[in-house]
Amino acid sequence: MVYRETRDPKFLDFVHKVTKVYLDRLPEDLIPYWDFDAPGIPNEPKDASAAVIVASALIELSTYTKDETLAKKYVDKAEQMLAELSMNYQSRNMNTANLLHSTGHKPAGSEIDYSIIYADYYYVEALLRLKKMKAGKPLNSIALKTE
């Protein structure tokens, strides 16, 4: 978002570096644990909210990425994350949320393995961004517009 608003290349360069580290550290299912260095992995809570926020960001980042191979990788990873969330993290009427298994603040013992409203927001945002991208529409007007 900082790059989008400033167009300063240093922010784009930085986000590419951070994104590489993030993607390289993901588990096989692409849904991160609440902390990449949590001591009890693989028996630590996952964080669907982090995954869906990153999926949405990857879709936008791909539109600023001049390297077509890297842009495609970002979209592919976002689609894989969304597919995993859609198949294995859906509430399916267990509660009123869409996504299960988010983590708010594990060190404080708060919102561990919960449905969190912002996870649902970014899930819808990511799906809409992907839909717009596939339709060749700009992603700039994101906020839950369906045109």
Side-chain angles (χ1 to χ4, degrees), residues 67-78:
D67 179 336
E68 289 183 24
T69 302
L70 188 57
K72 182 180 179 337
K73 177 182 177 179
Y74 291 160
V75 173
D76 289 348
K77 290 291 183 189

Side-chain angles (χ1 to χ4, degrees), residues 122-135:
Y122 285 103
Y123 181 64
V124 172
E125 179 184 82
L127 293 171
L128 288 173
R129 281 183 167 178
L130 189 59
K131 180 180 177 180
K132 283 184 173 190
M133 172 180 274
K134 290 185 181 267

Side-chain angles (χ1 to χ4, degrees), residues 21-147:
V21 171
Y22 181 92
L23 293 176
D24 287 348
R25 296 199 66 196
L26 285 174
E28 190 175 317
D29 69 357
L30 302 179
I31 310 304
Y33 294 95
W34 73 273
D35 185 314
F36 283 117
D37 296 320
I41 292 172
N43 299 316
E44 293 283 348
K46 293 285 194 131
D47 191 357
S49 64
V52 75
I53 289 167
V54 170
S56 185
L58 286 172
I59 294 165
E60 182 173 0
L61 178 58
S62 75
T63 67
Y64 304 127
T65 303
K66 292 179 183 170
D67 179 336
E68 289 183 24
T69 302
L70 188 57
K72 182 180 179 337
K73 177 182 177 179
Y74 291 160
V75 173
D76 289 348
K77 290 291 183 189
E79 286 182 311
Q80 291 168 19
M81 290 172 192
L82 290 169
E84 177 67 23
L85 292 165
S86 296
M87 289 185 295
N88 297 312
Y89 288 74
Q90 288 290 312
S91 167
R92 302 207 195 319
N93 298 321
M94 292 173 65
N95 63 36
T96 58
N98 285 316
L99 293 178
L100 300 172
H101 311 303
S102 290
T103 301
H105 191 351
K106 181 150 188 313
S110 174
E111 296 179 319
I112 301 168
D113 197 20
Y114 266 53
S115 295
I116 298 175
I117 188 98
Y118 58 82
D120 286 352
Y121 172 87
Y122 285 103
Y123 181 64
V124 172
E125 179 184 82
L127 293 171
L128 288 173
R129 281 183 167 178
L130 189 59
K131 180 180 177 180
K132 283 184 173 190
M133 172 180 274
K134 290 185 181 267
K137 294 181 179 179
L139 306 184
N140 297 348
S141 57
I142 300 304
L144 299 181
K145 293 182 182 176
T146 58
E147 74 257 26

